[in-house]
Every structure is written in structure tokens, then in C-alpha cells.
Amino acid sequence: MEQHPEPKPHQNTVSTYLKILVEKGYLSTEKEGRIFRYNVLVPFEEYRKFLLKELSHNFFHNSGKEILSFLIHEKLISQEDMKDLNLNIEIKPFKVKEEFEYANEVLNPKKDKKKDKDKKKKKKKDQEK
């Protein structure tokens, strides 16, 4: 909480988010006296790769050219930077669909809960019959 910028969220809000992330397996906890210490379980590179692909898909129509054009237009990268990179890269199309387990669970948490609730309701009805 000390490191969070102003306006700081309510402590209960932060606790709720952390609890959800622990339940989904993205964080682990260690109890230290009266407090919990949270540790990240999701590899940073996997999360970074997922975010970049989502950004590309949702905002740039899966076009690397559009991303580079945007970065140059917004002056986030210069043409000189592009020249310095010596981009002699051969791009080969491939049809491997990469799944991001962690991110899919975070982005679609309600679907799983709804299925669980529906299963419980069905089980309850079956027991009543």
C-alpha cells in the first residue's frame, strides 16, 4: 500500500484482488506473524508475451507493421533506432496457436465460476428428485 500512488485504493479492495490471484494460482502466500507475504508465480516473460499479443490483436489487427508505424508516429521509437537494430529478419508465417493459461483464467474468470454454479444447481436438483 505504501508504494501505491495516490489516490490509494481501500485496503479491502487490494486484499480482494490478492485473494483472487492466490485462488487462481498466480500468487502464493507466506504467513509472517499477523501479515501475509505474497510471491508472484507467473513468469514475467510469459505475461509480457501474452500482453504484447493481446495488444497486437485488439488494437493493431495482428499487424507488426501497424505497431511499428504507431511507435514511430508517437515518437516512442525513432527511425534511427530502427536502423540501429539492423532488422534483417526473415518473417515466416506459422499457424501455431499459443495458449496462455494464466492470462486466459484472469481474463475469463466469470465463465469458470458460472459453470461451477450451474453444475452445483444441477446436482442439487438431481438430489431433490
Short mmCIF file of all heavy atoms in Angstrom, two decimals, residues 75-116:
data_model
loop_
_atom_site.label_atom_id
_atom_site.label_comp_id
_atom_site.label_asym_id
_atom_site.label_seq_id
_atom_site.Cartn_x
_atom_site.Cartn_y
_atom_site.Cartn_z
N LYS A 75 6.51 8.83 -31.56
CA LYS A 75 7.89 9.14 -31.15
C LYS A 75 8.35 8.29 -29.95
O LYS A 75 9.12 8.74 -29.11
CB LYS A 75 8.05 10.63 -30.86
CG LYS A 75 7.85 11.49 -32.10
CD LYS A 75 8.02 12.95 -31.79
CE LYS A 75 7.91 13.86 -32.97
NZ LYS A 75 6.99 13.69 -33.99
N LEU A 76 7.85 7.07 -29.90
CA LEU A 76 8.30 6.13 -28.88
C LEU A 76 9.53 5.37 -29.36
O LEU A 76 10.26 4.79 -28.56
CB LEU A 76 7.17 5.15 -28.52
CG LEU A 76 5.94 5.81 -27.90
CD1 LEU A 76 4.80 4.82 -27.80
CD2 LEU A 76 6.28 6.39 -26.54
N ILE A 77 9.72 5.36 -30.66
CA ILE A 77 10.90 4.79 -31.28
C ILE A 77 11.21 5.64 -32.51
O ILE A 77 10.30 6.08 -33.19
CB ILE A 77 10.69 3.30 -31.64
CG1 ILE A 77 12.00 2.67 -32.09
CG2 ILE A 77 9.63 3.13 -32.69
CD1 ILE A 77 11.93 1.16 -32.22
N SER A 78 12.48 5.89 -32.74
CA SER A 78 12.84 6.74 -33.88
C SER A 78 13.26 5.89 -35.06
O SER A 78 13.59 4.71 -34.93
CB SER A 78 13.99 7.69 -33.49
OG SER A 78 15.18 6.95 -33.32
N GLN A 79 13.28 6.51 -36.23
CA GLN A 79 13.73 5.80 -37.43
C GLN A 79 15.19 5.40 -37.27
O GLN A 79 15.61 4.36 -37.74
CB GLN A 79 13.54 6.69 -38.66
CG GLN A 79 12.09 7.08 -38.87
CD GLN A 79 11.54 6.58 -40.19
OE1 GLN A 79 12.26 6.08 -41.02
NE2 GLN A 79 10.25 6.74 -40.37
N GLU A 80 15.97 6.23 -36.55
CA GLU A 80 17.37 5.90 -36.30
C GLU A 80 17.48 4.63 -35.43
O GLU A 80 18.35 3.80 -35.66
CB GLU A 80 18.10 7.07 -35.62
CG GLU A 80 18.31 8.29 -36.49
CD GLU A 80 17.04 9.13 -36.67
OE1 GLU A 80 16.20 9.18 -35.73
OE2 GLU A 80 16.86 9.70 -37.75
N ASP A 81 16.57 4.53 -34.45
CA ASP A 81 16.55 3.32 -33.62
C ASP A 81 16.31 2.09 -34.50
O ASP A 81 16.93 1.05 -34.30
CB ASP A 81 15.45 3.39 -32.56
CG ASP A 81 15.70 4.43 -31.48
OD1 ASP A 81 16.88 4.82 -31.30
OD2 ASP A 81 14.72 4.86 -30.84
N MET A 82 15.42 2.25 -35.45
CA MET A 82 15.09 1.14 -36.34
C MET A 82 16.32 0.76 -37.17
O MET A 82 16.60 -0.41 -37.36
CB MET A 82 13.93 1.51 -37.27
CG MET A 82 12.63 1.78 -36.54
SD MET A 82 11.96 0.30 -35.79
CE MET A 82 11.50 -0.59 -37.23
N LYS A 83 17.05 1.77 -37.65
CA LYS A 83 18.25 1.49 -38.44
C LYS A 83 19.32 0.83 -37.57
O LYS A 83 20.02 -0.08 -38.02
CB LYS A 83 18.80 2.79 -39.05
CG LYS A 83 17.93 3.33 -40.15
CD LYS A 83 18.47 4.65 -40.66
CE LYS A 83 17.48 5.26 -41.66
NZ LYS A 83 17.88 6.61 -42.05
N ASP A 84 19.44 1.30 -36.32
CA ASP A 84 20.44 0.74 -35.42
C ASP A 84 20.18 -0.73 -35.10
O ASP A 84 21.11 -1.49 -34.82
CB ASP A 84 20.47 1.52 -34.10
CG ASP A 84 21.05 2.91 -34.26
OD1 ASP A 84 21.66 3.20 -35.31
OD2 ASP A 84 20.87 3.72 -33.33
N LEU A 85 18.92 -1.13 -35.17
CA LEU A 85 18.58 -2.51 -34.84
C LEU A 85 19.00 -3.49 -35.94
O LEU A 85 19.04 -4.70 -35.71
CB LEU A 85 17.07 -2.64 -34.59
CG LEU A 85 16.55 -2.02 -33.30
CD1 LEU A 85 15.04 -2.12 -33.25
CD2 LEU A 85 17.16 -2.71 -32.09
N ASN A 86 19.30 -2.97 -37.13
CA ASN A 86 19.68 -3.83 -38.26
C ASN A 86 18.65 -4.95 -38.44
O ASN A 86 18.96 -6.12 -38.30
CB ASN A 86 21.06 -4.45 -38.03
CG ASN A 86 22.12 -3.75 -38.84
OD1 ASN A 86 21.80 -2.99 -39.75
ND2 ASN A 86 23.36 -4.00 -38.49
N LEU A 87 17.44 -4.58 -38.72
CA LEU A 87 16.36 -5.55 -38.80
C LEU A 87 16.39 -6.34 -40.11
O LEU A 87 15.58 -6.14 -41.00
CB LEU A 87 15.00 -4.85 -38.63
CG LEU A 87 14.76 -4.23 -37.28
CD1 LEU A 87 13.45 -3.48 -37.25
CD2 LEU A 87 14.79 -5.28 -36.20
N ASN A 88 17.33 -7.24 -40.21
CA ASN A 88 17.40 -8.15 -41.35
C ASN A 88 16.77 -9.47 -40.91
O ASN A 88 17.43 -10.49 -40.82
CB ASN A 88 18.85 -8.36 -41.80
CG ASN A 88 19.44 -7.10 -42.36
OD1 ASN A 88 18.72 -6.27 -42.92
ND2 ASN A 88 20.75 -6.94 -42.21
N ILE A 89 15.50 -9.41 -40.62
CA ILE A 89 14.79 -10.57 -40.08
C ILE A 89 13.88 -11.12 -41.16
O ILE A 89 13.10 -10.38 -41.78
CB ILE A 89 13.96 -10.18 -38.85
CG1 ILE A 89 14.86 -9.64 -37.76
CG2 ILE A 89 13.16 -11.38 -38.35
CD1 ILE A 89 14.11 -9.02 -36.61
N GLU A 90 13.98 -12.42 -41.40
CA GLU A 90 13.08 -13.07 -42.34
C GLU A 90 11.86 -13.53 -41.57
O GLU A 90 11.97 -14.30 -40.60
CB GLU A 90 13.77 -14.27 -42.98
CG GLU A 90 12.92 -14.95 -44.01
CD GLU A 90 13.62 -16.17 -44.61
OE1 GLU A 90 14.86 -16.24 -44.53
OE2 GLU A 90 12.91 -17.03 -45.12
N ILE A 91 10.70 -13.05 -41.96
CA ILE A 91 9.47 -13.40 -41.25
C ILE A 91 8.79 -14.53 -41.99
O ILE A 91 8.45 -14.42 -43.17
CB ILE A 91 8.54 -12.18 -41.14
CG1 ILE A 91 9.23 -11.07 -40.36
CG2 ILE A 91 7.23 -12.58 -40.49
CD1 ILE A 91 8.47 -9.79 -40.32
N LYS A 92 8.61 -15.64 -41.29
CA LYS A 92 7.94 -16.80 -41.86
C LYS A 92 6.59 -16.96 -41.19
O LYS A 92 6.50 -16.94 -39.97
CB LYS A 92 8.77 -18.06 -41.62
CG LYS A 92 10.12 -18.03 -42.30
CD LYS A 92 10.89 -19.28 -41.99
CE LYS A 92 12.26 -19.22 -42.63
NZ LYS A 92 13.06 -20.39 -42.32
N PRO A 93 5.53 -17.13 -41.97
CA PRO A 93 4.21 -17.33 -41.35
C PRO A 93 4.14 -18.71 -40.69
O PRO A 93 4.72 -19.67 -41.18
CB PRO A 93 3.24 -17.23 -42.52
CG PRO A 93 4.05 -17.55 -43.73
CD PRO A 93 5.46 -17.13 -43.42
N PHE A 94 3.46 -18.77 -39.58
CA PHE A 94 3.25 -20.04 -38.92
C PHE A 94 1.87 -20.04 -38.30
O PHE A 94 1.30 -19.00 -38.01
CB PHE A 94 4.33 -20.34 -37.88
CG PHE A 94 4.39 -19.33 -36.76
CD1 PHE A 94 3.70 -19.54 -35.59
CD2 PHE A 94 5.14 -18.18 -36.91
CE1 PHE A 94 3.75 -18.62 -34.56
CE2 PHE A 94 5.19 -17.24 -35.89
CZ PHE A 94 4.51 -17.47 -34.71
N LYS A 95 1.33 -21.22 -38.12
CA LYS A 95 -0.04 -21.34 -37.62
C LYS A 95 -0.09 -22.04 -36.27
O LYS A 95 -0.99 -22.82 -36.00
CB LYS A 95 -0.90 -22.10 -38.62
CG LYS A 95 -1.09 -21.36 -39.92
CD LYS A 95 -2.06 -22.05 -40.82
CE LYS A 95 -2.27 -21.25 -42.07
NZ LYS A 95 -3.27 -21.82 -42.95
N VAL A 96 0.88 -21.76 -35.43
CA VAL A 96 0.88 -22.32 -34.08
C VAL A 96 0.13 -21.38 -33.18
O VAL A 96 0.48 -20.22 -33.06
CB VAL A 96 2.32 -22.51 -33.56
CG1 VAL A 96 2.30 -23.03 -32.14
CG2 VAL A 96 3.09 -23.44 -34.48
N LYS A 97 -0.93 -21.87 -32.57
CA LYS A 97 -1.70 -21.04 -31.66
C LYS A 97 -1.17 -21.27 -30.26
O LYS A 97 -1.22 -22.37 -29.73
CB LYS A 97 -3.19 -21.40 -31.71
CG LYS A 97 -4.02 -20.48 -30.87
CD LYS A 97 -5.48 -20.77 -31.01
CE LYS A 97 -6.26 -19.82 -30.15
NZ LYS A 97 -7.67 -20.06 -30.20
N GLU A 98 -0.63 -20.21 -29.69
CA GLU A 98 -0.04 -20.31 -28.36
C GLU A 98 -1.09 -20.01 -27.31
O GLU A 98 -1.80 -19.03 -27.39
CB GLU A 98 1.10 -19.30 -28.25
CG GLU A 98 2.15 -19.72 -27.30
CD GLU A 98 3.39 -18.87 -27.44
OE1 GLU A 98 3.76 -18.51 -28.56
OE2 GLU A 98 3.97 -18.58 -26.40
N GLU A 99 -1.22 -20.88 -26.35
CA GLU A 99 -2.17 -20.68 -25.27
C GLU A 99 -1.47 -20.07 -24.06
O GLU A 99 -0.37 -20.45 -23.73
CB GLU A 99 -2.82 -22.01 -24.86
CG GLU A 99 -3.79 -22.54 -25.89
CD GLU A 99 -5.02 -21.67 -26.06
OE1 GLU A 99 -5.55 -21.17 -25.05
OE2 GLU A 99 -5.44 -21.48 -27.20
N PHE A 100 -2.13 -19.15 -23.42
CA PHE A 100 -1.60 -18.52 -22.23
C PHE A 100 -2.53 -18.87 -21.08
O PHE A 100 -3.53 -18.20 -20.86
CB PHE A 100 -1.52 -17.00 -22.42
CG PHE A 100 -0.63 -16.60 -23.55
CD1 PHE A 100 -1.14 -16.35 -24.81
CD2 PHE A 100 0.73 -16.50 -23.36
CE1 PHE A 100 -0.31 -15.99 -25.85
CE2 PHE A 100 1.57 -16.14 -24.39
CZ PHE A 100 1.04 -15.89 -25.65
N GLU A 101 -2.18 -19.94 -20.39
CA GLU A 101 -3.05 -20.45 -19.33
C GLU A 101 -3.39 -19.41 -18.28
O GLU A 101 -4.54 -19.21 -17.94
CB GLU A 101 -2.37 -21.63 -18.64
CG GLU A 101 -2.13 -22.81 -19.54
CD GLU A 101 -1.30 -23.87 -18.84
OE1 GLU A 101 -1.42 -24.02 -17.61
OE2 GLU A 101 -0.51 -24.53 -19.53
N TYR A 102 -2.37 -18.74 -17.77
CA TYR A 102 -2.58 -17.79 -16.69
C TYR A 102 -3.48 -16.65 -17.14
O TYR A 102 -4.44 -16.29 -16.47
CB TYR A 102 -1.26 -17.20 -16.20
CG TYR A 102 -0.28 -18.22 -15.70
CD1 TYR A 102 0.94 -18.40 -16.31
CD2 TYR A 102 -0.59 -19.01 -14.60
CE1 TYR A 102 1.85 -19.33 -15.84
CE2 TYR A 102 0.31 -19.95 -14.12
CZ TYR A 102 1.52 -20.10 -14.75
OH TYR A 102 2.40 -21.02 -14.28
N ALA A 103 -3.17 -16.07 -18.28
CA ALA A 103 -3.89 -14.91 -18.75
C ALA A 103 -5.34 -15.26 -19.09
O ALA A 103 -6.25 -14.48 -18.82
CB ALA A 103 -3.20 -14.31 -19.96
N ASN A 104 -5.56 -16.41 -19.70
CA ASN A 104 -6.94 -16.78 -20.04
C ASN A 104 -7.80 -16.91 -18.80
O ASN A 104 -8.96 -16.52 -18.79
CB ASN A 104 -6.95 -18.09 -20.84
CG ASN A 104 -6.49 -17.88 -22.26
OD1 ASN A 104 -6.62 -16.79 -22.80
ND2 ASN A 104 -5.96 -18.92 -22.87
N GLU A 105 -7.24 -17.43 -17.72
CA GLU A 105 -8.00 -17.54 -16.48
C GLU A 105 -8.32 -16.17 -15.90
O GLU A 105 -9.40 -15.95 -15.38
CB GLU A 105 -7.23 -18.36 -15.45
CG GLU A 105 -7.19 -19.83 -15.77
CD GLU A 105 -6.43 -20.61 -14.73
OE1 GLU A 105 -6.43 -20.19 -13.55
OE2 GLU A 105 -5.83 -21.63 -15.09
N VAL A 106 -7.35 -15.25 -16.00
CA VAL A 106 -7.57 -13.91 -15.46
C VAL A 106 -8.59 -13.16 -16.28
O VAL A 106 -9.45 -12.47 -15.75
CB VAL A 106 -6.24 -13.11 -15.40
CG1 VAL A 106 -6.50 -11.66 -15.07
CG2 VAL A 106 -5.32 -13.72 -14.38
N LEU A 107 -8.51 -13.31 -17.61
CA LEU A 107 -9.42 -12.57 -18.48
C LEU A 107 -10.83 -13.14 -18.50
O LEU A 107 -11.78 -12.44 -18.80
CB LEU A 107 -8.88 -12.53 -19.91
CG LEU A 107 -7.61 -11.70 -20.08
CD1 LEU A 107 -7.09 -11.85 -21.50
CD2 LEU A 107 -7.88 -10.24 -19.77
N ASN A 108 -10.99 -14.43 -18.21
CA ASN A 108 -12.30 -15.06 -18.26
C ASN A 108 -12.68 -15.73 -16.94
O ASN A 108 -13.10 -16.87 -16.93
CB ASN A 108 -12.33 -16.11 -19.38
CG ASN A 108 -11.98 -15.52 -20.71
OD1 ASN A 108 -12.51 -14.48 -21.07
ND2 ASN A 108 -11.11 -16.17 -21.45
N PRO A 109 -12.55 -15.02 -15.82
CA PRO A 109 -12.80 -15.69 -14.54
C PRO A 109 -14.27 -16.01 -14.31
O PRO A 109 -14.59 -17.00 -13.69
CB PRO A 109 -12.31 -14.67 -13.52
CG PRO A 109 -12.48 -13.37 -14.19
CD PRO A 109 -12.19 -13.64 -15.65
N LYS A 110 -15.17 -15.21 -14.81
CA LYS A 110 -16.59 -15.40 -14.52
C LYS A 110 -17.15 -16.62 -15.23
O LYS A 110 -18.04 -17.26 -14.72
CB LYS A 110 -17.38 -14.15 -14.92
CG LYS A 110 -17.07 -12.97 -14.04
CD LYS A 110 -17.90 -11.79 -14.38
CE LYS A 110 -17.52 -10.62 -13.47
NZ LYS A 110 -18.22 -9.42 -13.77
N LYS A 111 -16.63 -16.96 -16.39
CA LYS A 111 -17.12 -18.12 -17.12
C LYS A 111 -16.94 -19.38 -16.30
O LYS A 111 -17.83 -20.21 -16.22
CB LYS A 111 -16.40 -18.25 -18.46
CG LYS A 111 -16.78 -17.17 -19.45
CD LYS A 111 -16.06 -17.37 -20.77
CE LYS A 111 -16.42 -16.25 -21.71
NZ LYS A 111 -15.70 -16.38 -22.99
N ASP A 112 -15.76 -19.53 -15.69
CA ASP A 112 -15.49 -20.71 -14.89
C ASP A 112 -16.41 -20.76 -13.68
O ASP A 112 -16.94 -21.81 -13.34
CB ASP A 112 -14.03 -20.72 -14.42
CG ASP A 112 -13.07 -20.87 -15.60
OD1 ASP A 112 -13.51 -21.35 -16.66
OD2 ASP A 112 -11.90 -20.49 -15.43
N LYS A 113 -16.61 -19.63 -13.02
CA LYS A 113 -17.47 -19.59 -11.84
C LYS A 113 -18.90 -19.93 -12.21
O LYS A 113 -19.60 -20.64 -11.50
CB LYS A 113 -17.40 -18.22 -11.17
CG LYS A 113 -16.11 -17.96 -10.46
CD LYS A 113 -16.13 -16.62 -9.78
CE LYS A 113 -14.82 -16.34 -9.07
NZ LYS A 113 -14.80 -15.03 -8.48
N LYS A 114 -19.36 -19.42 -13.37
CA LYS A 114 -20.72 -19.66 -13.79
C LYS A 114 -20.93 -21.16 -14.05
O LYS A 114 -21.94 -21.73 -13.67
CB LYS A 114 -21.05 -18.85 -15.05
CG LYS A 114 -22.50 -18.95 -15.45
CD LYS A 114 -22.81 -18.04 -16.61
CE LYS A 114 -24.28 -18.15 -16.98
NZ LYS A 114 -24.64 -17.34 -18.12
N LYS A 115 -19.97 -21.80 -14.70
CA LYS A 115 -20.07 -23.24 -14.95
C LYS A 115 -20.16 -24.00 -13.65
O LYS A 115 -20.93 -24.93 -13.53
CB LYS A 115 -18.86 -23.71 -15.77
CG LYS A 115 -18.91 -23.29 -17.21
CD LYS A 115 -17.67 -23.79 -17.95
CE LYS A 115 -17.63 -23.25 -19.37
NZ LYS A 115 -16.40 -23.66 -20.07
N ASP A 116 -19.33 -23.63 -12.68
CA ASP A 116 -19.35 -24.30 -11.38
C ASP A 116 -20.70 -24.13 -10.70
O ASP A 116 -21.24 -25.08 -10.13
CB ASP A 116 -18.24 -23.76 -10.47
CG ASP A 116 -16.85 -24.17 -10.94
OD1 ASP A 116 -16.76 -25.13 -11.74
OD2 ASP A 116 -15.87 -23.53 -10.50
#
